Amino acid sequence: MSAEKFDVQAFEKKYVARLEDRSLDWNVLKFQEEIDPKYKRAQMRYIGRGATANNDSNVIAAEHFTLSTMVLPAGCVGPLHLHDDVEEVFFILKGSVKALILEVGKDEVHEIRLNERDCISSPPGVYRGIHNDGDEEALMLVMLGAVKPNLPTYPKGSALEELRIQRAKEREAIINGK
């Protein structure tokens, strides 16, 4: 009985994501930017779809987590949001940002400075956001600890939370291929 030969080309096709094959997606979070222009940012997916559930076939299929990069222009904000089911990691590749942390049921937003190659892991159930208060764009690595994370929620009464409720039905249709 002969052992099957390892097919490195098939492995590469399935498990390698190259920068040259990707593009920045400025539209995936456009719904937030339409609420407030300071929410402008772009995502480049590598592993899985992330919480956005975009139908992106140009990613490595996620088995345990998602991985993307995020460009955050100077002055822009990744708004406070909460993942109830997964931790989220922000690793700063370029630039300097403020991580924003808000405990559920509290009013005070805490700020934590993150510089190049700093990392923060936000556990489920904690509001987190990011603010590029510098003069240059920031580049981050973003990981979510599940293949298909639940859609994040936003602080109650916010315009983003109202929109999230509306979009939740649309997301389910995308995931279910309808």
Side-chain angles (χ1 to χ4, degrees):
M1 188 182 330
S2 66
E4 192 174 313
K5 185 174 186 230
F6 180 74
D7 184 346
V8 71
Q9 281 104 3
F11 185 91
E12 181 177 2
K13 185 175 180 172
K14 185 174 181 178
Y15 294 110
V16 175
R18 299 196 185 281
L19 175 61
E20 67 191 40
D21 299 328
R22 317 317 49 276
S23 60
L24 285 172
D25 185 348
W26 290 95
N27 293 318
V28 69
L29 298 165
K30 190 96 171 157
F31 70 96
Q32 294 176 350
E33 184 183 348
E34 289 169 358
I35 298 273
D36 190 327
K38 72 180 178 189
Y39 296 146
K40 180 179 182 166
R41 58 201 193 285
Q43 183 183 48
M44 188 180 287
R45 290 171 291 284
Y46 284 83
I47 300 175
R49 296 176 177 182
T52 61
N54 258 21
N55 193 9
D56 188 344
S57 61
N58 190 32
V59 296
I60 297 170
E63 294 183 23
H64 303 285
F65 60 90
T66 70
L67 177 84
S68 64
T69 58
M70 183 79 62
V71 171
L72 188 61
C76 289
V77 175
L80 284 170
H81 64 285
L82 180 145
H83 291 280
D84 65 356
D85 62 332
V86 294
E87 66 185 310
E88 184 171 30
V89 173
F90 298 126
F91 184 91
I92 309 308
L93 296 168
K94 176 182 142 191
S96 175
V97 299
K98 289 190 295 191
L100 310 173
I101 303 296
L102 174 68
E103 293 177 82
V104 173
K106 304 289 181 172
D107 294 327
E108 183 181 1
V109 176
H110 302 278
E111 297 178 350
I112 302 170
R113 171 66 52 197
L114 298 174
N115 296 308
E116 202 167 290
R117 298 179 72 173
D118 287 347
C119 179
I120 186 170
S121 178
S122 299
V126 172
Y127 284 103
R128 75 291 306 259
I130 210 99
H131 178 206
N132 182 354
D133 59 343
D135 296 330
E136 297 180 13
E137 78 177 18
L139 177 63
M140 309 179 291
L141 185 69
V142 181
M143 285 182 67
L144 290 166
V147 174
K148 292 181 185 172
N150 292 339
L151 198 61
T153 59
Y154 303 92
K156 288 186 183 193
S158 69
L160 285 172
E161 180 59 9
E162 297 302 318
L163 184 59
R164 181 205 60 87
I165 293 166
Q166 175 187 336
R167 290 177 52 99
K169 292 177 187 174
E170 297 168 12
R171 179 183 188 264
E172 283 305 311
I174 290 169
I175 289 172
N176 294 324
K178 295 180 182 176

